[in-house]
Amino acid sequence: MAKLLTVNLGSGAVAPEELKPEWSDLGGRGLSASIVAERVDPNADALGPENVLVVAAGILAGTAVPNGGRLSIGAKSPLTGGIKEANAGGVCARKLANLGYRALVMEGLAAEPSVMVLNASGATIKPAGDLWGLGTYATIDKLRAEYGDAAGIICCGPAGEMLYANSAVITTTPDFLPRSASRGGVGAVMGSKKLKAIVIDDTGSRLVEVANNAALKSAVTVLTNGIRTDQIMHYLKDSGTGMLVTLADSMECLATKNFSQGRFDGNYEISGEKMAWLAKQGRPGMEMKHHCMPGCVVYCSTIFSDANGNYVTSGFEYETLGLLGSNCMISDLETLAKIDHLCDDIGIDTIETGGAVAVAMEAGILPWGDAEGAYKLINGMVEGTEHGKLIGQGTLVTGKALGVKRIPVFKGQCISAWEPRVLKGTGVTYCTSPQGADHTDGNALPGMSYDASSPEGQADMSKDLQRYFAAIDTLGMCLFPALAINPKVMLKKKLIEAAGAILGKKYGPDYLDELGARVLAVEVDFNRRAGFTREDDRLPAFFVEEPVDPSGKVFDVPVEDIDSVFA
Ligand code: SF4
């Protein structure tokens, strides 16, 4: 059976154990939530020794299920004060599973900067003073040089070391590029523990257990074909998630000018289509069909180079383009790419950072659309400038300190680049998700028989999606193929069969719904014990009172509907 490895960074004690029977069918977000709920006092200081940092692989990790290798990072959040799981692609979930572990739990605080090395011989904690203060790119380079190409790396950047609430945990792709588990300040939890990095090398170890290989193989064949042939996955492959910029603009729900507009004149300039055009023009080094993890069959990731072919950034995604682009009225793609590189290098969440920069623009700290000014403002985090320090503490702190009334946060976390007055089911998810505002928890996009902008039926839509994506995050599957699977009964059936084949169980058609509900119940209960009430499930007033341009819509889902999601 897969194991749990608890490492006490204060004492150096390392304790492998079998997963408890009640956790044996959990991975990723569900396992992380269960560990945090059991081991962390909900009222504990998120940056103190009582908090834990969970690193969890999903149920699918290390198997042949396509896109099944997301890595979950969990903790009590220093940004929201509630429970948090942020996930990313990369190689580490697969390596963890190959070593026979479903999760690592980092407890206590190290006395000095440290790196934990995990391989088939066990776990070792080593001093890492030479890494402290380095950006994530340099950290990854140094650790790769020391531990070789078989290593997967998880690290925090200077932002995490400086305990900024917008800081992320960075992990590596097969080609050692950074991917970010961004949300909720999980990088600050890692930094507070003086844990600069975790290195995972699975050489010689293939301990992933599959109870029924034949059943898994049959399910995987159908899933792989179903995802590969999905039209939206083709669009993602061609233009990356940046193609969502023009789509959201056409639906009048692209976060623009601190959520005062749903359309942005410069949308094409910061879109995936523009990146694809640059690649087609022969810009050297541009790559549109990159994959962030082994087993991906979608290839939505991008590598962005400058006009001379020099690498600038990778994983240059919709949310970054929306929050730091349209939401700040920035249409300069080249500088946006440099900002994305900076954010990855110092290890911060581009959503939270983009939200903070936009409220700073609204306060008049810098002009709308000032890309170079935004770069300098963000870089001020590591230089310790007055405004840089504010940005690092997130959108809410920045907005309050600068006297801005329109602050787009829920439970202390900035919303993503989807306008909730137009996408009202997404708005309900922002309100009610125990993770704080998060599009990955249930983004309700318009469909054939679903009106996203009606005030009716949104609570049920949000509830269904929140359960589905909580289950997907527990399985460790990437969000994008999960979008292809959700509406297709046969693919959903095969995903359920795949999970059953791995765990040796026979699950019914409601498995994903039940799994998601179980995970959400743990998270909601943690937040309740941390002091969250119904009042924390309300939108900032401006979404209710101020029509968004040009649709003229306000958020008008009845409060009793919102409260019915977790009744
Ligand atoms: S679809 Fe995109 S985000 Fe998902 S695993 Fe593939 S490259 Fe990574």
Side-chain angles (χ1 to χ4, degrees):
M1 186 192 282
K3 292 197 196 63
L4 193 66
L5 185 71
T6 301
V7 179
N8 189 302
L9 292 161
S11 67
V14 174
E17 62 189 298
E18 298 262 306
L19 276 176
K20 298 199 290 188
E22 60 268 37
W23 291 352
S24 62
D25 58 348
L26 292 176
R29 175 174 165 184
L31 182 56
S32 167
S34 302
I35 294 167
V36 171
E38 183 177 284
R39 297 195 184 181
V40 180
D41 177 347
N43 296 300
D45 175 3
L47 300 178
E50 304 86 6
N51 204 358
V52 299
L53 185 79
V54 180
V55 176
I59 298 295
L60 311 177
T63 73
V65 177
N67 297 71
R70 296 289 286 192
L71 185 75
S72 287
I73 308 293
K76 174 177 170 163
S77 165
L79 183 76
T80 70
I83 201 160
K84 175 53 61 185
E85 184 263 1
N87 61 59
V91 298
C92 285
R94 175 176 290 240
K95 290 181 182 293
L96 197 56
N98 278 338
L99 288 167
Y101 294 107
R102 190 78 53 77
L104 309 176
V105 188
M106 313 306 293
E107 293 183 341
L109 307 179
E112 58 178 349
S114 302
V115 56
M116 191 190 88
V117 180
L118 180 67
N119 56 32
S121 305
T124 319
I125 301 168
K126 300 183 174 184
D130 59 327
L131 298 175
W132 203 248
L134 290 185
T136 64
Y137 277 93
T139 300
I140 290 166
D141 283 350
K142 277 195 105 163
L143 289 171
R144 183 183 185 186
E146 186 169 353
Y147 293 98
D149 286 352
I153 296 159
I154 300 163
C155 65
C156 65
E161 297 171 15
M162 297 167 88
L163 308 183
Y164 282 124
N166 69 349
S167 57
V169 168
I170 300 292
T171 185
T172 48
T173 65
D175 44 358
F176 287 86
L177 294 173
R179 296 296 289 199
S180 180
S182 291
R183 309 237 62 199
V186 287
V189 178
M190 191 166 185
S192 74
K193 297 188 174 302
K194 288 208 162 39
L195 180 64
K196 180 65 180 179
I198 299 170
V199 176
I200 306 179
D201 182 345
D202 59 348
T203 302
S205 186
R206 292 289 176 271
L207 296 176
V208 180
E209 291 171 3
V210 173
N212 185 339
N213 272 306
L216 181 64
K217 196 172 172 196
S218 146
V220 163
T221 303
V222 179
L223 277 171
T224 304
N225 288 338
I227 295 165
R228 273 206 177 117
T229 54
D230 183 89
Q231 191 56 46
I232 294 172
M233 299 305 111
H234 279 289
Y235 294 144
L236 285 169
K237 190 178 216 169
D238 289 344
S239 306
T241 63
M243 68 103 174
L244 297 169
V245 172
T246 49
L247 180 74
D249 184 78
S250 71
M251 296 192 299
E252 302 180 336
C253 64
L254 175 65
T256 303
K257 204 176 185 185
N258 193 25
F259 290 90
S260 61
Q261 299 170 202
R263 300 202 73 162
F264 177 49
D265 284 346
N267 72 86
Y268 172 76
E269 293 304 318
I270 58 167
S271 69
E273 291 89 331
K274 177 68 184 276
M275 291 185 221
W277 181 82
L278 289 170
K280 220 172 178 177
Q281 294 305 301
R283 180 178 282 205
M286 282 286 286
E287 191 177 330
M288 293 310 293
K289 297 175 177 63
H290 184 251
H291 70 303
C292 78
M293 68 163 80
C296 171
V297 298
V298 178
Y299 284 62
C300 83
S301 193
T302 51
I303 294 179
F304 191 94
S305 59
D306 66 19
N308 297 318
N310 301 309
Y311 171 89
V312 180
T313 195
S314 60
F316 193 19
E317 309 284 356
Y318 168 72
E319 296 298 340
T320 303
L321 298 161
L323 266 298
L324 282 158
S326 54
N327 201 43
C328 297
M329 303 291 279
I330 292 173
S331 57
D332 170 358
L333 188 63
E334 308 293 335
T335 307
L336 266 183
K338 288 183 198 155
I339 293 173
D340 187 53
H341 177 104
L342 175 69
C343 291
D344 284 345
D345 197 41
I346 62 179
I348 54 176
D349 174 10
T350 54
I351 297 178
E352 199 63 47
T353 305
V357 172
V359 295
M361 286 176 166
E362 184 146 321
I365 299 300
L366 70 170
W368 291 108
D370 180 359
E372 293 293 345
Y375 184 98
K376 285 189 193 128
L377 186 61
I378 296 164
N379 201 39
M381 281 179 57
V382 280
E383 292 169 342
T385 64
E386 181 192 347
H387 289 138
K389 284 195 266 187
L390 273 183
I391 297 291
Q393 295 306 344
T395 308
L396 181 61
V397 169
T398 304
K400 277 188 172 172
L402 298 177
V404 174
K405 289 205 173 63
R406 302 169 67 266
I407 309 175
V409 299
F410 296 76
K411 296 188 180 72
Q413 181 166 276
C414 183
I415 73 178
S416 53
W418 303 94
E419 169 55 58
R421 284 162 289 193
V422 177
L423 303 179
K424 293 180 183 173
T426 303
V428 175
T429 299
Y430 290 158
C431 291
T432 56
S433 168
Q435 300 288 332
D438 194 326
H439 63 296
T440 66
D441 290 346
N443 192 5
L445 297 172
M448 295 286 276
S449 56
Y450 165 62
D451 179 359
S453 64
S454 162
E456 283 154 24
Q458 303 300 348
D460 286 344
M461 174 59 79
S462 172
K463 182 157 63 177
D464 287 351
L465 289 173
Q466 286 196 59
R467 288 180 176 182
Y468 177 67
F469 285 107
I472 289 296
D473 290 342
T474 298
L475 295 177
M477 174 165 258
C478 172
L479 169 90
F480 299 115
L483 289 172
I485 290 169
N486 196 23
K488 295 172 186 153
V489 176
M490 174 53 79
L491 290 187
K492 240 175 162 173
K493 185 165 173 276
K494 291 298 164 187
L495 182 58
I496 293 168
E497 282 175 19
I502 293 164
L503 294 170
K505 303 255 174 75
K506 180 132 185 77
Y507 292 124
D510 295 331
Y511 162 71
L512 294 171
D513 195 57
E514 289 163 3
L515 177 62
R518 177 179 158 200
V519 172
L520 286 162
V522 172
E523 295 177 345
V524 168
D525 181 63
F526 182 93
N527 283 357
R528 184 189 53 75
R529 290 188 284 128
F532 285 80
T533 69
R534 290 275 190 226
E535 290 311 304
D536 296 297
D537 289 352
R538 303 289 179 258
L539 287 101
F542 79 88
F543 286 114
V544 179
E545 295 163 357
E546 183 186 303
V548 61
D549 186 43
S551 67
K553 293 189 169 74
V554 293
F555 187 81
D556 52 2
V557 176
V559 164
E560 49 276 19
D561 282 15
I562 295 170
D563 289 346
S564 73
V565 173
F566 291 116

